[in-house]
């Protein structure tokens, strides 16, 4: 099975549908760093879903994206929804909020790089931002 097929299979399982036992979901997410190929395939997959996508930073040890919403309430709703997913998966973003802007950096400290946990959270955040009323991604 190719790296892309394995990654797509994993992401289909985890895509924003976290329900049931918290313990069950925590174990579904790997803390193993993605290979360079897996990271590039993941970024390509995220870009296909949303043209204004995540970029590799810190020498491939993290991914980053900036979201700009209509106002603070919309940005806060996005952060609140993302925080629920983060809690359920026990994987928390590094983020910065000023009024309508949310800047997010994702990395898995346990493996000192980007893991499937980061890709699943990035995908969930893209879904949540798309569900909110007019917003613009930087």
């Amino acid at each position: 099975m190719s790296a892309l097929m394995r990654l797509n299979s994993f992401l289909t399982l985890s895509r924003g549908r976290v329900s049931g036992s918290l313990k069950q979901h925590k174990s579904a997410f790997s803390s193993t760093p993605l290979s360079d190929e897996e990271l590039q395939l993941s970024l390509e997959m995220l870009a296909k879903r949303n043209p204004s996508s995540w970029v590799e930073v810190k020498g491939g040890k993290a991914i980053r994206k900036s979201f700009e919403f209509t106002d603070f309430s919309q940005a806060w709703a996005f952060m609140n929804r993302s925080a629920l997913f983060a809690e359920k998966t026990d994987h928390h973003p590094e983020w910065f909020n000023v009024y309508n802007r949310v800047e997010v950096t994702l990395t898995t400290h346990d493996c000192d790089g980007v893991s499937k946990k980061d890709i699943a959270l990035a995908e969930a955040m893209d879904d949540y931002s798309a569900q909110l009323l007019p917003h613009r991604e930087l």
Side-chain angles (χ1 to χ4, degrees), residues 21 36 40 42 48 54 64-65 82 84 91-93 98 108-109 121 126 129 135:
S21 162
D36 290 341
Q40 291 311 310
S42 297
K48 285 180 183 175
W54 297 83
R64 177 176 295 149
K65 185 171 183 174
S82 298
L84 292 173
H91 189 61
H92 304 90
V98 174
T108 303
H109 299 286
L121 183 53
D126 281 347
S129 70
H135 72 280

Side-chain angles (χ1 to χ4, degrees), residues 36-70:
D36 290 341
E37 178 187 12
E38 289 172 321
L39 177 57
Q40 291 311 310
L41 289 170
S42 297
L43 291 172
E44 289 172 18
M45 184 221 30
L46 289 167
K48 285 180 183 175
R49 298 182 69 223
N50 187 327
S52 173
S53 198
W54 297 83
V55 294
E56 181 180 343
V57 294
K58 299 181 182 181
K61 302 240 183 224
I63 57 175
R64 177 176 295 149
K65 185 171 183 174
S66 293
F67 298 88
E68 189 172 326
F69 299 93
T70 304

Side-chain angles (χ1 to χ4, degrees), residues 1 5 9 22 42 45 48 59 71 95 97 104-105 108 114:
M1 181 183 287
M5 288 173 59
S9 173
L22 180 58
S42 297
M45 184 221 30
K48 285 180 183 175
D71 56 24
W95 52 15
N97 167 244
V104 181
T105 301
T108 303
V114 178

